[in-house]
């Protein structure tokens, strides 16, 4: 399997944002924890309240949000392999030192770098109309003069399979798959080009993977299967997919011309590690994380500027409050998540023999809207402890239990490391995901501060607790 296919399988395990059942502390009546541990966890109430108050009610939260806003406005989109991304990484290194933490290091990562060239499409039958497109990555290019071909619109892979191959051969397949959940609908982005190519199509287009559109385009990764002819592939808007569906239903012949040019090369980037060194078990780590790169569309404010910033802020604010946790609290600003968890895979490979030293790993990469709780992967004993800690944060005490969570950290869960992703009220997350609409306008300052406060306070408790989060 290719790396993108592995990632897709991981995505399907956690990307059901609108369909999960949220549980709360009352759903863990079978948990039996040692009374001393229960008392210890309860004793953190004052310090967690203090951390959250310092962020929400005092100047620290405003300062963090101003730094976050300045970062997005200064750098904007930060695609993997670009000088903009590397400048953004340097900025975060300097910012960390300016806030009093000098234990910041980087680790080199070889990453793919997309140079998106011209992308255009025009409907020339049954009438002339510009069709907005946004290439999926990686996509092969068209010939210099483009591809002109008839269109066939299908709702699903099943419908495609029911059509005789001769009817598909030489055509452009448009997948008009309406959004259900991300985990289900993203299959058309990941595998659509290969499935269309197997039937003889010369190009494929997908209805953008989003539940809502204001003529917005949403990009993302795709993967060519083995032994298939690689064909150009791109996203179109809901509005144009609906138009072509209606025209086909009316018996009209639809003909498009598509032109797509891009190149992919490789560059060196860096994962950034910010450590608040533990006072007792300095070699044991609790990791908080988010990715610093973004797609080349939008500003990467939501995906994942917010998650990256609240993770960076956790060790910074805890240090500023003169709190020294038992274990090392490490913030990781992953590079090159969008091309396929490249930074996370590099870290996992480099630190494979240190996995037992990761006590708990956390990631925020599904928005920083109103916080609800945590999406937890781990043993029953681990979940029981996390549920008890969450009692300190009511009403931010909801739990979703998963096999793996987050994007970058899912590969660590697969290797037995317990972890959690931030649960937040992100029912509109995929409205903006991987599109030009991912800007600071998506964010609400109070929600981001609530996320930052919860993230920092929770990570402090886990990193300071006298017992490790159990693997079994």
């Amino acid at each position: 399997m290719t790396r993108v296919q592995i990632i897709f399988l991981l995505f399907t395990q956690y990307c059901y944002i609108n369909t999960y059942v949220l549980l709360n502390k009352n759903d863990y009546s079978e948990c039996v924890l040692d009374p001393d541990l229960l008392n210890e966890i309860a004793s953190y109430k004052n310090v967690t309240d203090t951390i959250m108050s310092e962020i929400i009610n005092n100047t620290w939260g405003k300062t963090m949000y101003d730094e976050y806003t300045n970062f997005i406005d200064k750098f904007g989109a930060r695609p993997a392999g670009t000088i903009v991304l590397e400048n953004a990484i340097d900025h975060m290194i300097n910012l960390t030192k300016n806030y009093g933490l000098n234990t910041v290091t980087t680790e080199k990562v070889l990453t793919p770098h997309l140079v998106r060239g011209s992308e255009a499409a025009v409907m020339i039958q049954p009438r002339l109309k510009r069709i907005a497109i946004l290439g999926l990555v990686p996509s092969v290019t068209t010939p210099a003069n483009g591809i002109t071909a008839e269109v066939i619109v299908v709702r699903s892979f099943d419908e495609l399979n029911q059509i005789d191959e001769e009817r598909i051969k030489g055509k452009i397949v448009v997948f008009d798959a309406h959004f259900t959940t991300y985990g289900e609908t993203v299959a058309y982005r990941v595998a659509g080009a290969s499935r269309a190519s197997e039937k003889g199509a010369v190009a494929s287009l997908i209805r953008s993977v989003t539940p809502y559109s204001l003529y917005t385009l949403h990009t993302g990764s795709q993967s060519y299967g083995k032994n298939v002819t690689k064909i150009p592939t791109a996203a179109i808007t809901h509005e144009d997919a609906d138009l072509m569906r209606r025209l086909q239903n009316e018996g009209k012949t639809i003909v498009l011309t598509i032109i797509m040019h891009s190149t992919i090369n490789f560059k060196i980037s860096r994962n950034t590690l910010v450590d608040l060194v533990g006072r007792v078990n300095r070699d044991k780590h609790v990791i908080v994380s988010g990715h610093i790169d973004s797609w080349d569309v939008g500003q990467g404010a939501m995906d994942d500027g917010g998650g990256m910033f609240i993770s960076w802020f956790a060790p910074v604010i805890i240090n500023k409050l003169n709190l020294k946790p038992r274990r090392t609290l490490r913030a990781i600003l992953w590079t090159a998540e969008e091309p396929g968890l490249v930074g996370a895979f590099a870290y996992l490979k480099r630190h494979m023999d240190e996995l037992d030293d990761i006590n708990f790993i956390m990631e925020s990469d599904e928005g920083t809207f109103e916080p609800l709780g945590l999406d937890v992967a781990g043993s029953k004993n681990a979940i029981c402890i996390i549920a008890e800690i969450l009692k300190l944060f009511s009403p931010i005490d909801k739990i979703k239990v998963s096999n793996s969570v987050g994007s970058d950290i899912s590969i660590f869960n697969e290797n037995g490391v317990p972890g959690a992703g931030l649960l937040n009220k992100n029912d509109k997350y995929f409205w903006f995901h991987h599109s030009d609409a991912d800007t600071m306008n998506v964010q609400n300052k109070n929600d981001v501060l609530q996320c930052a406060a919860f993230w920092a306070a929770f990570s402090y408790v886990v990193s300071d607790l006298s017992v490790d989060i159990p693997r079994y």
Side-chain angles (χ1 to χ4, degrees):
M1 297 178 72
T2 68
R3 178 175 291 181
V4 172
Q5 288 170 320
I6 293 170
I7 295 161
F8 169 62
L9 291 176
L10 294 172
F11 275 165
T12 61
Q13 294 181 37
Y14 83 90
C15 284
Y16 293 85
I17 285 185
N18 295 320
T19 61
Y20 54 67
V21 177
L22 293 179
L23 306 177
N24 60 40
K25 57 183 179 291
N26 297 320
D27 293 295
Y28 289 91
S29 57
E30 295 183 3
C31 289
V32 179
L33 297 177
D34 184 275
D36 289 340
L37 179 57
L38 292 174
N39 289 333
E40 181 187 356
I41 291 172
S43 73
Y44 283 97
K45 180 61 176 171
N46 287 339
V47 71
T48 56
D49 285 350
T50 297
I51 294 170
M52 293 188 70
S53 179
E54 288 289 338
I55 296 172
I56 295 169
N57 299 320
N58 293 338
T59 59
W60 283 115
K62 180 182 183 302
T63 300
M64 182 217 68
Y65 196 81
D66 288 346
E67 294 285 9
Y68 166 41
T69 303
N70 174 64
F71 175 86
I72 298 300
D73 289 346
K74 181 175 182 177
F75 296 106
R78 307 168 299 280
T82 62
I83 189 63
V84 175
L85 174 60
E86 297 313 301
N87 289 341
I89 292 169
D90 287 338
H91 175 89
M92 294 306 297
I93 293 169
N94 293 331
L95 195 64
T96 304
K97 294 177 180 177
N98 290 343
Y99 277 84
L101 267 183
N102 292 314
T103 47
V104 53
T105 57
T106 61
E107 296 178 348
K108 291 182 179 180
V109 177
L110 183 65
T111 177
H113 169 223
L114 168 71
V115 181
R116 195 186 296 272
S118 58
E119 296 178 341
V122 177
M123 184 168 69
I124 57 178
Q125 280 185 239
R127 65 178 175 88
L128 194 64
K129 182 189 184 301
R130 181 185 69 88
I131 302 294
I133 64 170
L134 183 58
L136 304 180
V137 183
S139 172
V140 296
T141 65
T142 64
N145 294 328
I147 291 173
T148 299
E150 189 177 330
V151 166
I152 186 164
V153 183
V154 298
R155 288 272 191 211
S156 66
F157 291 141
D158 286 342
E159 183 179 343
L160 178 71
N161 290 337
Q162 291 169 11
I163 300 173
D164 186 80
E165 191 170 298
E166 287 302 311
R167 287 186 56 206
I168 304 294
K169 193 172 182 179
K171 290 186 172 64
I172 298 169
V173 172
V174 173
F175 290 102
D176 182 32
H178 288 231
F179 189 94
T180 52
T181 66
Y182 186 66
E184 291 178 353
T185 315
V186 76
Y188 293 91
R189 190 189 80 202
V190 173
S194 293
R195 299 291 288 272
S197 176
E198 288 170 350
K199 301 280 280 188
V202 293
S204 70
L205 300 172
I206 65 161
R207 181 187 185 95
S208 282
V209 182
T210 177
Y212 183 77
S213 176
L214 286 173
Y215 206 73
T216 44
L217 295 161
H218 299 249
T219 190
S221 297
Q222 69 92 32
S223 177
Y224 293 113
K226 290 183 178 179
N227 303 317
V228 300
T229 300
K230 297 179 180 181
I231 60 175
T233 183
I236 60 174
T237 67
H238 285 196
E239 292 84 349
D240 284 337
D242 290 339
L243 170 62
M244 285 188 268
R245 165 66 63 183
R246 292 194 301 272
L247 291 173
Q248 179 171 283
N249 290 346
E250 292 165 8
K252 303 287 178 37
T253 298
I254 308 165
V255 177
L256 297 184
T257 295
I258 300 172
I259 298 175
M260 294 177 62
H261 298 142
S262 64
T263 59
I264 293 181
N265 50 42
F266 288 85
K267 302 284 186 178
I268 297 295
S269 186
R270 294 162 289 169
N271 285 325
T272 307
L273 284 54
V274 180
D275 285 349
L276 177 56
V277 177
R279 72 178 192 277
V280 178
N281 300 327
R282 59 184 300 131
D283 293 330
K284 286 274 189 178
H285 295 98
V286 169
I287 294 174
V288 291
S289 67
H291 66 86
I292 191 170
D293 68 304
S294 75
W295 282 105
D296 56 330
V297 292
Q299 304 293 296
M302 177 196 74
D303 182 20
D304 183 34
M308 182 274 292
F309 240 87
I310 69 169
S311 295
W312 166 82
F313 191 56
V316 168
I317 185 62
I318 291 171
N319 183 61
K320 282 291 185 183
L321 297 176
N322 294 315
L323 297 169
K324 301 298 180 185
R326 184 182 305 268
R327 301 168 191 80
T328 294
L329 179 59
R330 169 171 288 178
I332 300 181
L333 317 184
W334 305 110
T335 195
E337 184 269 352
E338 298 295 6
L341 316 187
V342 177
F345 274 110
Y347 185 92
L348 179 64
K349 182 178 180 179
R350 185 188 299 259
H351 298 274
M352 182 62 78
D353 60 349
E354 303 166 19
L355 289 188
D356 287 343
D357 293 329
I358 302 177
N359 182 45
F360 199 69
I361 189 166
M362 299 162 58
E363 179 179 30
S364 173
D365 187 20
E366 293 181 11
T368 42
F369 303 97
E370 179 185 342
L372 301 174
L374 294 174
D375 183 3
V376 183
S379 66
K380 180 182 176 181
N381 289 332
I383 292 164
C384 286
I385 293 175
I386 299 305
E388 190 66 28
I389 296 172
L390 283 175
K391 291 180 182 181
L392 301 169
F393 300 97
S394 181
I396 309 174
D397 59 358
K398 307 299 186 295
I399 284 184
K400 175 194 171 191
V401 178
S402 304
N403 292 326
S404 62
V405 296
S407 52
D408 289 294
I409 69 171
S410 58
I411 60 176
F412 295 85
N413 302 149
E414 296 293 311
N415 281 276
V417 180
L422 176 67
L423 277 181
N424 61 113
K425 196 175 287 186
N426 55 1
D427 52 301
K428 293 183 179 179
Y429 178 76
F430 288 112
W431 289 27
F432 314 108
H433 183 250
H434 293 185
S435 80
D436 277 319
D438 183 358
T439 69
M440 285 302 297
N441 286 46
V442 173
Q443 298 287 30
N444 175 279
K445 180 179 179 179
N446 290 334
D447 288 346
V448 174
L449 295 189
Q450 289 279 347
C451 288
F454 168 64
W455 208 234
F458 180 88
S459 64
Y460 172 73
V461 175
V462 177
S463 59
D464 192 60
L465 206 61
S466 64
V467 300
D468 287 344
I469 303 299
R471 300 286 176 102
Y472 306 103

